[in-house]
Amino acid sequence: MKFEHVMEQMKARMPEKRYIHTRGVATTAVHLAEKYGEDSEKAELAGILHDSVKYAEKEWLREKIISEKMDPILLEFHHELWHAPVGSYVAKNEFNINDEDILNAIKYHTTGRAGMSRLEKIIYISDMIEPSRNFPGVELLREKAELDLEDAMISCIQHSMTFLIEKKQPVFPDSFHCYNDLIQKKGKVNE
């Protein structure tokens, strides 16, 4: 792992299980980046940093969303979403990451969005399919990730939204916009 020093900093911020997940996301992101022609170093770094504030205090996350004038609609949704945009802020301000693609990959790894870059899709998918993930359907998502990045992204965002809907949880608007954008770009609107 090229960014082992950053990985060590993540180890201090999270429980062992999340650290294993984070390593898995970084490794999976490098694999998918190499497969789909993306910068593997950017993918690895985004994978390492994607959950940097996952275990930060809820009130601190709320304060950052407000003080940094992030999308206020975040505060209307479950706080599990907050670590992604605040993590992007921390990547920029604490780890001195200035690459907008890396920052966006971190920012949108929980919700997706319309117009995602290839790196953003790789991090979103890697977060869902990394080796320590174990849920019904994960093997199919892994298979799709090996065949076609766009189809894998559609399946991953669809899986995420279906999971929330089945649990009677609200779905963040960016996720709907992500799904619609992907389907429209695939030309499947009238099928």
Side-chain angles (χ1 to χ4, degrees), residues 74-125:
L74 284 161
L75 300 175
E76 298 173 24
F77 285 80
H78 197 280
H79 69 273
E80 277 291 313
L81 296 180
W82 300 354
H83 76 279
V86 178
S88 179
Y89 166 84
V90 167
K92 182 174 188 168
N93 292 282
E94 187 177 328
F95 292 92
N96 300 313
I97 306 298
N98 292 307
D99 185 302
E100 283 299 315
D101 205 16
I102 294 172
L103 296 174
N104 283 334
I106 296 167
K107 183 175 183 178
Y108 296 106
H109 83 266
T110 58
T111 61
R113 69 170 178 147
M116 291 175 84
S117 71
R118 186 170 44 213
L119 179 63
E120 289 174 64
K121 292 172 187 170
I122 286 170
I123 298 304
Y124 187 97
I125 293 166

Side-chain angles (χ1 to χ4, degrees), residues 168-182:
K168 296 189 177 10
Q169 295 295 313
V171 177
F172 196 74
D174 281 349
S175 297
F176 284 118
H177 298 311
C178 175
Y179 176 78
N180 287 340
D181 181 59
L182 292 164

Side-chain angles (χ1 to χ4, degrees), residues 11-179:
K11 190 172 190 174
R13 293 173 181 243
M14 55 187 63
E16 181 68 17
K17 185 176 181 182
R18 183 57 52 166
Y19 177 72
I20 291 167
H21 162 75
T22 298
R23 286 189 77 90
V25 172
T27 302
T28 304
V30 167
H31 168 72
L32 292 178
E34 290 170 351
K35 183 172 190 62
Y36 292 109
E38 183 54 71
D39 184 315
S40 62
E41 287 186 11
K42 287 169 60 167
E44 182 178 13
L45 192 53
I48 291 169
L49 292 172
H50 83 285
D51 276 350
S52 65
V53 295
K54 176 91 173 168
Y55 294 92
E57 291 292 324
K58 182 177 164 184
E59 201 46 50
W60 181 81
L61 293 169
R62 178 192 305 279
E63 288 169 13
K64 282 293 170 214
I65 290 168
I66 294 167
S67 70
E68 298 305 315
K69 297 178 176 43
M70 296 177 194
D71 189 347
I73 198 170
L74 284 161
L75 300 175
E76 298 173 24
F77 285 80
H78 197 280
H79 69 273
E80 277 291 313
L81 296 180
W82 300 354
H83 76 279
V86 178
S88 179
Y89 166 84
V90 167
K92 182 174 188 168
N93 292 282
E94 187 177 328
F95 292 92
N96 300 313
I97 306 298
N98 292 307
D99 185 302
E100 283 299 315
D101 205 16
I102 294 172
L103 296 174
N104 283 334
I106 296 167
K107 183 175 183 178
Y108 296 106
H109 83 266
T110 58
T111 61
R113 69 170 178 147
M116 291 175 84
S117 71
R118 186 170 44 213
L119 179 63
E120 289 174 64
K121 292 172 187 170
I122 286 170
I123 298 304
Y124 187 97
I125 293 166
S126 296
D127 185 36
M128 189 168 281
I129 68 165
E130 60 85 14
S132 74
R133 292 286 198 199
N134 184 19
F135 57 84
V138 72
E139 286 303 326
L140 180 59
L141 296 176
R142 288 180 181 132
E143 289 171 19
K144 288 186 177 204
E146 290 299 317
L147 298 173
D148 184 281
L149 189 69
E150 298 304 311
D151 281 341
M153 185 63 211
I154 290 169
S155 294
C156 285
I157 194 73
Q158 188 175 10
H159 182 276
S160 180
M161 291 191 324
T162 301
F163 174 81
L164 291 169
I165 291 166
E166 286 175 355
K167 298 278 186 194
K168 296 189 177 10
Q169 295 295 313
V171 177
F172 196 74
D174 281 349
S175 297
F176 284 118
H177 298 311
C178 175
Y179 176 78

